[in-house]
Amino acid sequence: MKKLFLTGLLVFFGITFGHAQKSELPEMVSAYVSQLFPNEKIKTVEIDKGDNWEKFEIKMSEGTELSFDQNNQPTEIKCKSGIPASALPLNIAGYITKNHSNIKIIEYEMDKEGHEVKLENGDELKFDSKGNFVEMD
């Protein structure tokens, strides 16, 4: 009953979730994934759609997970084997390369307030919406 009610709410608000094929990814997203994670294959693609937005969630063969917004920008990346610095905005990548060069980046998240990067050693770096370093937890 709860599942039916939740489905009804999602349909009412115009939100849909669905599985998609790799070929349904925007070319920019597909190229980004192929370039930065060349040794992994795309296992699943899910598309979340609303009235004015679309989000792609990708799971890779080695466990990497990526999310992209309606502008084809990465909003979340999780990769235990390490995210290449080139996957991040330029000034964030520069800061990490300069200050934490020997530590793997394992998570990246972007939202309206800014960016967060988690390093393999447990440090969490916070950046503002322009990519300027704010603090470390």
Side-chain angles (χ1 to χ4, degrees):
M1 184 70 165
K2 286 182 183 179
K3 201 175 213 180
L4 182 62
F5 177 73
L6 181 58
T7 302
L9 278 176
L10 294 173
V11 169
F12 177 77
F13 287 106
I15 300 172
T16 59
F17 301 95
H19 292 283
Q21 301 297 319
K22 179 183 174 186
S23 61
E24 294 179 65
L25 285 173
E27 188 176 321
M28 185 174 163
V29 171
S30 186
Y32 178 93
V33 171
S34 297
Q35 180 182 10
L36 293 169
F37 301 97
N39 298 325
E40 293 193 56
K41 295 186 183 333
I42 294 175
K43 278 179 45 177
T44 62
V45 176
E46 290 188 22
I47 301 175
D48 298 344
K49 292 183 181 183
D51 289 337
N52 297 318
W53 57 270
E54 186 171 69
K55 179 179 176 182
F56 298 94
E57 294 182 8
I58 301 168
K59 292 188 180 182
M60 307 289 285
S61 60
E62 301 297 318
T64 299
E65 297 179 14
L66 302 104
S67 295
F68 293 84
D69 64 15
Q70 67 272 9
N71 298 319
N72 301 324
Q73 296 300 308
T75 56
E76 190 171 350
I77 305 171
K78 293 180 181 179
C79 182
K80 292 185 185 207
S81 62
I83 300 168
S86 58
L88 308 178
L90 194 57
N91 48 344
I92 294 174
Y95 177 87
I96 293 171
T97 300
K98 180 179 178 185
N99 297 289
H100 303 277
S101 62
N102 296 323
I103 304 171
K104 286 183 188 175
I105 303 163
I106 58 170
E107 290 183 23
Y108 166 75
E109 188 174 341
M110 176 189 76
D111 60 23
K112 294 174 190 167
E113 280 117 43
H115 308 259
E116 286 188 30
V117 174
K118 185 173 182 179
L119 303 176
E120 187 177 41
N121 66 358
D123 288 344
E124 293 183 19
L125 310 175
K126 295 185 181 191
F127 300 83
D128 64 18
S129 60
K130 295 180 181 176
N132 300 308
F133 179 73
V134 176
E135 66 180 349
M136 180 170 67
D137 284 341

